[in-house]
Amino acid sequence: MKKIAVFASGNGSNFQVIAEQFPVAFVFSDHRDAFVLERAQNLGVTSYAFELKEFENKAAYEEAIVDLLNQHEIDLVCLAGYMKIVSQTLLSAYEGKIINIHPAYLPEFPGAHGIEDAWRAGVSESGVTIHYVDSGVDTGKIIHQVRVPRLETDTIETFETRIHEAEYKLYPQVLKELGVTERKKTC
Ligand code: GRF
């Protein structure tokens, strides 16, 4: 069985959707006060949190992450709103085993503001992408992506909501495609 870990920096709604459908070995956050940690507690999922500033440098920070991944024998790292660039220490230890969700149709609108950037550009459609992580910003091999139209009646809030709804469908779909086994349903 493939063991997954989810990394999130803030809200964690994608983590929640994943954890409700798949066993998650642990969630990691790079912010000790992130809401995702509360979600993990409510769902009974193990969580870890530490911050880059607590380490001498990024390599030492990522070594601590790699230790956690090794301890838990993780097969797949699922980034879901993890707002740090993954650097060489983590990339080389888990090469080809880190995926990310991006709230735009890559290569359109990479970076930290995919939804706002698409909105401001006035596109008639944007989307959601899940891709492998490489050393670039949202440049890794695309696994799956879906289009999300921008409706005439949309505000940025409704547009954003529909992007997130598409994310909540796409992440579980991709995890199934990658061979992650779903959680056993309880009555
Ligand atoms: C999502 O839109 C994801 O695509 C992006 O960051 C957001 C995280 O939201 N990378 P949440 O923390 O899962 O609610």
Side-chain angles (χ1 to χ4, degrees), residues 77 79 98-102 104 106 129-134 136-145 170-171 174:
V77 179
L79 308 187
I98 308 176
I99 63 174
N100 179 47
I101 187 160
H102 182 73
L106 292 172
T129 304
I130 295 186
H131 62 95
Y132 285 103
V133 172
D134 65 12
V137 176
D138 303 322
T139 50
K141 185 171 174 270
I142 291 169
I143 302 170
H144 219 111
Q145 52 190 170
L170 191 62
Y171 225 143
V174 165

Side-chain angles (χ1 to χ4, degrees), residues 11-14 80-81 101-103 164 167:
N11 178 27
S13 63
N14 278 280
I101 187 160
H102 182 73
H164 290 312
E167 293 189 307

